Amino acid sequence: MSVARPTVSRIGNTQLISTLNNRLVLEAVRVMQPTFRADIARRTGLKPATVTSIVNDLLKQQLLREIAPAAVGAGPGAAPPGGRFGRPPLMLELNRDARRILAIDLEPDHLRVATTDMVGRIIHYREQNHNRFATPEATIADILKLSRAALGTVSRRPVLGVGVSLPGLIDTEQGMLLSSTNMPKWRDVPIGPMLEQALRIPVRVERSIHLAALYEKWVNPQHQDRTVVIISLRTGVGMSVLHRGQLYVGARGLSGEIGHTIVDLNGAPCECGSRGCLETFVSASAIVERARRLVRAGRGKALAKEARRPAGESGEGDGITTELIYRLARDGEPDCAEIVRDVGRHLGIAIANIINLLAPDEIVVAGAIDTAESLLLASIREQVNASALPRSREHVVVRAASETDKLPLLGAAVLIAQQLFELPVLRHADVETPA
Ligand SMILES: [Zn+2]
């Protein structure tokens, strides 16, 4: 139940080798494109004749296309030796529009749906608020409505599959959301099979935090040699670890619950049943609740003014959101800035602990934080400097993710896209051995 890498069903040796070689070539083109056949052979270690034959096949399937070096500004001299008949060899790139992917991100408070091209670049995007107390049936109806509208835009291009990002505990094999502390009505919901039956496209589900890491890995080939920790600050807070290109997901895929590590023994009750968890300080609802307390105490004047209802009438639907708090903090509103700094201090303590435990090369902070990014990161770094062991923290880079609030959505697209590129995980039982 880890982030399922593409698997192969029972397969013969010849077919296996051909699958592996195809994916090696496609991945080489993805990482180097536009590129020459000779460079693919060098990178993959395949014989030039083998590369030629695979490339011909991939051109026929329209997964690759040829492109003149001049068209990409490679200029004369960029072509490798071999153009001795006067005409430089053509370069290759992915035909990204040949396939489409449907990506869905169900966050307790948001629903995001996108169609992407073959490598996970967004073509069509829609998002709407989600009521985390809604029934699974109502939510799935909303997802289907958004999905059908999105699929209406793919104009007869083949759809590779549907990737779904889910919060909480998941059985990836069964496509089941087992439970989510932030969506109490969801218990053992077979959301994967339900979507698959309605859309008639293969569906795969995965935890949002692991998908955030999958996307980071996809767009950063240099992560192959490093240890990277991704902290995702959304409705809740999660963590994922990439070690030398592999995702660490723990037993039954359950790792990463940093939000429920305890930072205050006498702290407030948490939705998980414990007390003083990190989430009780930094989750979206904790941040909003803290702002409401300020408003009730007659402070945070700008906040009360910008929220839909006047001070004194705070509560569900009062217009106070994390987005508003972050925006006011960025604009220098002192009470909101103090809330963000305090979130940064608590995250900083958790991150310092991670640094001491795992000694990563890099910490990537993701989530709906863009407007207050610099303030939050400054506060995190200050706390890390104060709390992590000097030798461990010395070389760690703490940075914001490139696609902060869409990371799991993009990861859901990559979950499907990688079926074309990633080498399959093989178990002995999958491979036919010669009699
Ligand atoms: Zn908890």
Side-chain angles (χ1 to χ4, degrees):
M1 251 192 300
S2 57
V3 161
R5 294 177 67 193
T7 51
V8 281
S9 48
R10 202 167 167 81
I11 197 169
N13 279 333
T14 319
Q15 195 196 342
L16 172 63
I17 288 164
S18 139
T19 302
L20 294 179
N21 287 347
N22 275 340
R23 291 185 187 178
L24 275 175
V25 168
L26 274 174
E27 176 67 359
V29 176
R30 183 180 84 84
V31 174
M32 300 192 297
Q33 66 179 342
T35 187
F36 293 102
R37 287 166 175 79
D39 291 328
I40 298 172
R42 254 193 300 279
R43 187 184 172 95
T44 58
L46 294 170
K47 290 188 187 118
T50 310
V51 170
T52 301
S53 130
I54 293 171
V55 163
N56 286 344
D57 195 41
L58 294 171
L59 285 168
K60 224 177 284 169
Q61 294 177 56
Q62 297 189 321
L63 291 171
L64 292 183
R65 65 178 174 207
E66 287 182 310
I67 175 171
V72 293
R84 59 186 181 279
F85 299 112
R87 207 158 56 109
L90 291 168
M91 299 184 87
L92 292 161
E93 64 175 14
L94 294 178
N95 184 16
R96 287 192 290 256
D97 277 323
R99 304 283 189 278
R100 287 285 185 261
I101 294 165
L102 181 68
I104 298 167
D105 174 23
L106 171 59
E107 197 188 351
D109 298 325
H110 286 280
L111 187 53
R112 302 179 180 86
V113 171
T115 51
T116 77
D117 67 14
M118 202 166 89
V119 293
R121 291 193 196 184
I122 291 179
I123 307 285
H124 169 96
Y125 175 75
R126 283 279 301 280
E127 74 166 84
Q128 64 184 46
N129 289 334
H130 175 249
N131 174 6
R132 60 162 106 170
F133 300 104
T135 61
E137 293 73 23
T139 298
I140 288 172
D142 280 351
I143 291 175
L144 284 174
K145 206 168 140 195
L146 286 176
S147 299
R148 291 196 171 110
L151 288 171
T153 66
V154 303
S155 55
R156 278 195 275 167
R157 287 186 184 87
V159 179
L160 269 180
V162 183
V164 186
S165 157
L166 297 172
L169 303 183
I170 284 164
D171 181 336
T172 52
E173 301 288 322
Q174 305 294 324
M176 186 109 83
L177 178 49
L178 302 174
S179 69
S180 161
T181 47
N182 291 310
M183 300 196 305
K185 294 205 174 118
W186 290 67
R187 287 252 155 223
D188 300 337
V189 180
I191 180 171
M194 287 167 86
L195 293 175
E196 192 162 298
Q197 198 179 19
L199 298 171
R200 300 188 176 281
I201 304 170
V203 173
R204 293 180 59 188
V205 307
E206 187 49 84
R207 302 181 73 196
S208 60
I209 181 61
H210 296 327
L211 290 176
L214 193 63
Y215 182 75
E216 271 295 313
K217 176 188 160 187
W218 180 254
V219 292
N220 294 292
Q222 74 275 18
H223 284 350
Q224 206 61 37
D225 307 315
R226 327 183 64 197
T227 302
V228 181
V229 173
I230 293 100
I231 306 281
S232 175
L233 188 60
R234 307 219 296 171
T235 307
V237 48
M239 175 187 99
S240 211
V241 180
L242 270 177
H243 179 60
R244 301 192 185 286
Q246 296 293 315
L247 209 48
Y248 177 83
V249 297
R252 297 176 301 286
L254 297 182
S255 75
E257 294 289 353
I258 191 163
H260 299 288
T261 53
I262 293 166
V263 293
D264 181 356
L265 276 177
N266 302 310
C270 177
E271 288 181 68
C272 73
S274 187
R275 272 182 175 279
C277 295
L278 180 63
E279 274 195 16
T280 64
F281 294 91
V282 305
S283 70
S285 52
I287 294 169
V288 167
E289 191 42 51
R290 189 164 161 185
R292 283 185 182 136
R293 281 202 300 275
L294 273 177
V295 170
R296 281 198 293 269
R299 290 172 59 200
K301 294 269 187 271
L303 191 61
K305 200 173 134 206
E306 293 240 4
R308 278 195 299 276
R309 280 196 224 160
E313 284 183 42
S314 61
E316 223 29 79
D318 59 4
I320 296 179
T321 61
T322 49
E323 288 82 3
L324 177 61
I325 296 162
Y326 285 147
R327 180 164 60 76
L328 290 172
R330 180 203 58 192
D331 295 345
E333 202 284 319
D335 289 319
C336 290
E338 180 49 27
I339 291 178
V340 172
R341 271 196 295 273
D342 195 58
V343 168
R345 280 193 285 272
H346 280 92
L347 280 175
I349 288 172
I351 290 173
N353 289 338
I354 294 169
I355 291 172
N356 290 347
L357 284 170
L358 301 180
D361 297 289
E362 201 166 326
I363 303 264
V364 181
V365 182
I369 56 165
D370 3 38
T371 48
E373 185 184 298
S374 50
L375 190 62
L376 186 70
L377 283 181
S379 171
I380 289 174
R381 288 188 185 119
E382 201 177 307
Q383 191 63 52
V384 164
N385 284 336
S387 308
L389 293 171
R391 264 182 201 285
S392 314
R393 70 162 194 259
E394 213 171 341
H395 300 288
V396 183
V397 176
V398 180
R399 67 166 173 93
S402 46
E403 292 281 352
T404 51
D405 64 331
K406 293 199 189 71
L407 218 51
L409 178 78
L410 293 164
V414 170
L415 184 67
I416 303 299
Q418 68 173 2
Q419 296 171 16
L420 290 175
F421 301 90
E422 192 98 332
L423 297 185
V425 172
L426 294 176
R427 292 168 307 175
H428 190 259
D430 292 330
V431 186
E432 281 173 11
T433 40

